[in-house]
Amino acid sequence: MKSNNKCNGSNEYEKAIDFLEKGCRCGCSSRIPKEEFSELRESFQVLFKFEQDIFLMAQLKAMNGRSISTSRCLKKKIRFNKRTFYHWDHNTLLCQETYLNMLGIGRTYFENIRNHLIKNGLLLKIHGNIKRMSQWKTKMMIDKDVAEIVKNFLENYAEVHGLPNPSRNINRITQSIVLLSAKMSYKSVHRDFLTGLKEDNKLKSLKYNAFRKLWHQLTSEIQIMSPRTDLCDTC
């Protein structure tokens, strides 16, 4: 499994693997496919903050339910208690510890979103910096010109190094998935991007996290193969 971490090249992926190897207290984490669990955490972490909020509120809406119990004193009286049922899929229940690690979030953030959902429903949660364009922890402003340069680079990179995947489509008409070798990673592609720039180019200051978010936002059809799908043509 260590080799998978290196191939993926994501710190969030590695944190998820480390959690699963350690395991949760109740043992439910041992029933989850490690690679899919880690890829989900990685994908969630590259979302914008408001996208994470929406995703989590939708999950909470689907997971909220009720349990039935009886009173110790009044045996015939049935009580309905609100409860959140955490799921990996329809057949696999999770504890809260495993669920939070699946997304890479803390309990405080989770409870804040839950309380917002109770008070305001599915209305978007407004953050303090919502009116400012996010700089994603980079010293440069991400504008349309920067986004266009990154998009063109990724499309050209995929044309040179990628292979179309005939078995999967995002949009059957316009947008087929292009896979990059599992030997590559987001970080290695980011390094190639910076290497191709002149020393005085302002894009030299584009940080890895901002580059990866632009990748997912602008060219989500370009993906890196997971190690298990990096097979030869015969296989």
Side-chain angles (χ1 to χ4, degrees):
M1 208 25 105
K2 293 292 182 184
S3 61
N4 288 5
N5 298 352
K6 294 178 181 178
C7 288
N8 188 281
S10 165
N11 189 43
E12 292 297 333
Y13 187 96
E14 293 170 1
K15 287 179 181 178
I17 291 292
D18 289 342
F19 168 75
L20 290 180
E21 290 180 347
K22 179 182 177 182
C24 64
R25 296 171 186 172
C26 71
C28 69
S29 58
S30 63
R31 302 193 298 270
I32 303 171
K34 290 185 177 181
E35 190 172 319
E36 293 178 27
F37 180 92
S38 305
E39 287 175 351
L40 177 57
R41 173 165 173 159
E42 181 184 47
S43 297
F44 179 82
Q45 286 298 314
V46 300
L47 296 175
F48 292 107
K49 192 66 176 177
F50 75 91
E51 292 175 324
Q52 292 181 345
D53 293 350
I54 293 171
F55 178 90
L56 190 52
M57 284 192 287
Q59 286 261 298
L60 279 167
K61 199 72 176 175
M63 295 187 302
N64 283 341
R66 61 182 185 176
S67 59
I68 301 174
S69 62
T70 56
S71 171
R72 292 183 178 180
C73 299
L74 303 173
K75 298 297 183 180
K76 294 184 178 181
K77 186 175 181 179
I78 298 177
R79 295 184 298 189
F80 297 95
N81 304 308
K82 290 185 177 180
R83 184 181 173 187
T84 300
F85 296 90
Y86 305 97
H87 288 271
W88 165 252
D89 56 31
H90 294 296
N91 300 317
T92 308
L93 287 172
L94 301 178
C95 64
Q96 187 185 72
E97 179 186 9
T98 298
Y99 180 80
L100 295 181
N101 274 277
M102 180 179 75
L103 300 180
I105 60 177
R107 187 167 182 176
T108 299
Y109 168 61
F110 177 82
E111 292 298 336
N112 286 340
I113 294 297
R114 191 211 295 270
N115 292 334
H116 173 82
L117 181 64
I118 294 172
K119 294 178 182 178
N120 305 292
L122 290 172
L123 291 176
L124 183 63
K125 190 174 187 294
I126 305 299
H127 294 279
N129 63 345
I130 194 68
K131 295 181 180 179
R132 300 196 303 270
M133 182 179 288
S134 174
Q135 293 185 331
W136 302 338
K137 296 183 180 180
T138 185
K139 295 179 180 179
M140 61 178 296
M141 181 64 69
I142 307 298
D143 56 22
K144 291 182 179 180
D145 292 335
V146 172
E148 188 66 24
I149 292 171
V150 172
K151 180 181 179 182
N152 290 338
F153 167 80
L154 289 170
E155 288 176 344
N156 292 333
Y157 195 90
E159 187 174 347
V160 174
H161 300 284
L163 291 173
N165 182 1
S167 63
R168 296 169 58 196
N169 286 300
I170 292 178
N171 184 310
R172 294 182 180 180
I173 299 175
T174 62
Q175 202 175 42
S176 60
I177 291 176
V178 179
L179 296 176
L180 300 177
S181 170
K183 295 179 181 179
M184 298 177 180
S185 67
Y186 293 111
K187 287 187 176 180
S188 70
V189 178
H190 177 241
R191 286 195 297 269
D192 290 343
F193 172 74
L194 296 180
T195 301
L197 299 173
K198 295 180 179 179
E199 289 301 324
D200 60 345
N201 195 312
K202 68 174 184 177
L203 286 173
K204 280 285 188 181
S205 62
L206 183 65
K207 300 298 184 182
Y208 163 69
N209 285 338
F211 177 82
R212 191 175 65 172
K213 286 184 178 182
L214 283 171
W215 182 334
H216 283 273
Q217 183 183 31
L218 302 173
T219 56
S220 59
E221 75 277 9
I222 301 173
Q223 301 177 10
I224 297 175
M225 283 185 179
S226 61
R228 64 181 179 182
T229 58
D230 192 13
L231 306 175
C232 67
D233 293 338
T234 303
C235 298

